[in-house]
């Protein structure tokens, strides 16, 4: 048996195929990441992270609403909407909790019917890819990409909330492909960050992803193929999304898609259905980030370092052996706790997060990907990019 926690690097994919623009490079020191070290899991078992404010933070999502304030963006109505947006995801997370499963967060989604024995045939892997993408969009995906099943990006272990310890991450044999879907989050809600209201964009992004993943997985199963849908559980979404050609890695530690910038939520489906693979793509994000640094300056706790990609790690919540821009998740989560809601300031201020009409955004993106990127940056600021909007103005529909 190979050591599953330390698979050999694939020389042909050290930079995920991004060539000289690579900002996510696998190093020889690479180690698979255990979900136990994810900052959200650590907030349950690690005394360095867990505190009274951690419990209060989670209580605002789970218990009968009690911790709202009178501050704009943090009122009962703001929390009521945010928590309602997570409801679909939570229903699936809680349905098998007594079996030590939190589906969508810590374990794969399993609300699926059995598959027939016969497999439907496709004319070619290209035809299968086209059909799957069409169906994914019918079921709500805004973006879809396909990559190979790459165990490097599966968690070395999942996390048991009941035992507060690692548990095996076992997948069926024969999986060969990963379908990555993305759902765009609401631009107007993200514009209100920091606020509890803005968390509605996150929650609804996950809830919509859950429905898309389940419906698309059932379709694949009905065709006689395996389908393992997973949301934040089981595998790291970022490298799979980059490999599937959905976007380029940005300094804020997220994938920047050409269509929606970093304002997306990802889900994945593992399958054995043969399909043509997509390739990673570069559209100038690496060079633009070098000039921009807006997320670095605007992060309220300095969690996003300036500078070049490196393999430095700040704490155990960072993956080992990948040269990239790395965010200090402890600082980031500390801010979430203190404000009693998740934060997306870095997403709001990123110039690739635009609510502009398609043609205007396409023109701006071309400029941003050219040697005139400083002009693109200036234009973004001059036209009010990333400006905060009040939650009360969102409620009034302004
Ligand atoms: S989410 Fe907020 S606290 Fe975290 S890195 Fe982004 S701006 Fe900083
Ligand atoms: S805000 Fe600027 S530096 Fe940060 S990810 Fe977006 S483009 Fe890159």
């Amino acid at each position: 048996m190979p050591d599953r926690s330390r698979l050999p690097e694939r020389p042909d994919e050290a930079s995920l195929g991004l060539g000289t623009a690579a900002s996510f490079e696998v190093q020889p020191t690479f180690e698979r990441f255990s979900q136990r070290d994810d900052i959200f899991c650590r907030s349950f078992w690690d005394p360095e992270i867990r505190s009274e404010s951690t419990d209060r933070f989670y209580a605002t999502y789970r218990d009968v609403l009690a911790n709202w304030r009178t501050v704009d963006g943090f009122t009962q109505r703001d929390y009521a909407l945010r928590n309602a947006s997570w409801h679909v995801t939570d229903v699936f997370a809680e349905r098998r909790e007594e079996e030590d499963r939190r589906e969508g967060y810590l374990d794969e989604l399993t609300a699926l019917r059995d598959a027939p024995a016969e497999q439907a045939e496709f004319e070619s892997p290209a035809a299968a890819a086209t059909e799957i993408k069409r169906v994914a969009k019918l079921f709500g995906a805004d973006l879809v990409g396909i990559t190979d099943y790459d165990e490097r990006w599966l968690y070395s272990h999942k996390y048991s909330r009941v035992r507060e310890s690692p548990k095996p991450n076992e997948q069926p044999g024969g999986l060969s492909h990963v379908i990555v879907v993305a759902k765009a989050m609401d631009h107007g809600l993200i514009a209100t960050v920091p606020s509890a209201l803005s968390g509605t964009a996150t929650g609804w992004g996950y809830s919509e992803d859950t429905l898309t993943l389940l419906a698309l997985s059932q379709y694949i199963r009905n065709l006689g193929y395996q389908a393992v849908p997973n949301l934040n559980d089981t595998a790291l979404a970022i490298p799979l999304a980059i490999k599937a050609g959905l976007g380029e890695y940005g300094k804020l530690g997220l994938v920047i898609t050409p269509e929606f910038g970093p304002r997306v939520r990802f889900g994945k489906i593992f399958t054995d259905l043969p399909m043509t693979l997509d390739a990673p793509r570069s559209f100038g994000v690496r060079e633009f980030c070098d000039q921009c640094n807006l997320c670095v300056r605007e992060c309220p706790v300095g969690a996003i370092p300036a500078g070049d990609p490196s393999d430095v790690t700040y704490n155990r919540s960072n993956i080992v052996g990948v040269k990239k821009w790395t965010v200090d998740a402890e600082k980031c989560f500390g801010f979430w706790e203190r404000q009693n809601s998740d934060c997306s300031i870095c997403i709001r201020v990123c110039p690739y997060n635009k609510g502009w009409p398609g043609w205007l955004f396409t023109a701006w993106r071309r400029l941003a990907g050219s040697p005139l990127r400083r002009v693109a940056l200036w234009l973004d600021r001059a036209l009010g990019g990333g400006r905060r909007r009040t939650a009360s103005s969102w409620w009034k529909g302004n």
Side-chain angles (χ1 to χ4, degrees), residues 104-150:
Y105 295 102
L106 302 175
D107 299 281
E108 310 84 346
L109 296 158
T110 59
L112 295 164
R113 294 186 200 286
D114 287 343
E118 320 84 68
Q119 287 188 334
E121 287 189 12
F122 287 89
E123 206 173 280
S124 63
T130 303
E131 181 171 311
I132 289 301
K133 288 178 182 178
R134 184 159 174 243
V135 173
K137 293 204 169 174
L138 172 75
F139 287 150
D142 288 313
L143 304 172
V144 198
I146 298 167
T147 185
D148 63 327
Y149 181 72
D150 182 343

Side-chain angles (χ1 to χ4, degrees), residues 44-281:
F44 286 90
W45 66 263
D46 188 345
E48 279 186 36
I49 305 297
R50 185 158 196 166
S51 66
E52 271 181 28
S53 57
T54 317
D55 296 340
R56 195 172 55 242
F57 168 76
Y58 284 119
T60 70
Y61 285 87
R62 293 277 174 271
D63 300 343
V64 174
L65 278 178
N67 289 314
W68 68 82
R69 292 177 270 157
T70 52
V71 182
D72 188 49
F74 294 89
T75 65
Q76 180 178 6
R77 178 169 277 112
D78 298 307
Y79 279 107
L81 190 69
R82 184 200 69 175
N83 291 6
S85 74
W86 283 97
H87 184 63
V88 173
T89 314
D90 287 343
V91 164
F92 288 99
E94 289 161 12
R95 63 186 275 277
R96 292 182 64 188
E97 264 187 326
E98 71 285 356
E99 299 167 57
D100 191 14
R101 296 182 63 83
R102 279 187 61 75
E103 298 192 355
Y105 295 102
L106 302 175
D107 299 281
E108 310 84 346
L109 296 158
T110 59
L112 295 164
R113 294 186 200 286
D114 287 343
E118 320 84 68
Q119 287 188 334
E121 287 189 12
F122 287 89
E123 206 173 280
S124 63
T130 303
E131 181 171 311
I132 289 301
K133 288 178 182 178
R134 184 159 174 243
V135 173
K137 293 204 169 174
L138 172 75
F139 287 150
D142 288 313
L143 304 172
V144 198
I146 298 167
T147 185
D148 63 327
Y149 181 72
D150 182 343
E151 284 198 330
R152 289 177 300 179
W153 309 118
L154 266 69
Y155 292 125
S156 63
H157 295 84
K158 296 201 275 185
Y159 173 69
S160 160
R161 177 74 60 77
V162 172
R163 286 181 279 112
E164 294 192 352
S165 61
K167 65 180 183 182
N169 186 2
E170 288 166 345
Q171 298 301 319
L175 298 172
S176 55
H177 289 68
V178 183
I179 303 159
V180 185
V181 299
K183 191 73 206 165
M185 295 188 287
D186 186 86
H187 185 269
L189 287 167
I190 292 289
T192 70
V193 180
S195 68
L197 175 68
S198 67
T200 307
T202 314
W204 191 235
Y206 280 127
S207 285
E208 286 190 304
D209 262 345
T210 302
L211 297 175
T212 302
L213 291 171
L214 284 169
L216 182 58
S217 295
Q218 189 61 55
Y219 175 65
I220 295 167
R221 286 172 72 116
N222 290 347
L223 296 176
Y225 295 90
Q226 296 186 69
V228 182
N230 50 102
L231 201 58
N232 267 2
D233 53 282
T234 311
L236 295 167
I238 287 175
L240 291 170
I242 297 172
K243 281 181 54 132
L246 295 189
E248 199 178 331
Y249 192 69
K251 192 172 275 190
L252 77 178
L254 300 172
V255 177
I256 295 186
T257 65
E259 296 83 358
F260 307 105
R263 190 171 33 88
V264 290
R265 292 288 156 195
F266 293 114
K268 305 91 70 185
I269 298 173
F270 304 153
T271 182
D272 57 352
L273 172 63
M275 292 170 287
T276 302
L277 304 180
D278 292 300
R281 55 179 166 167

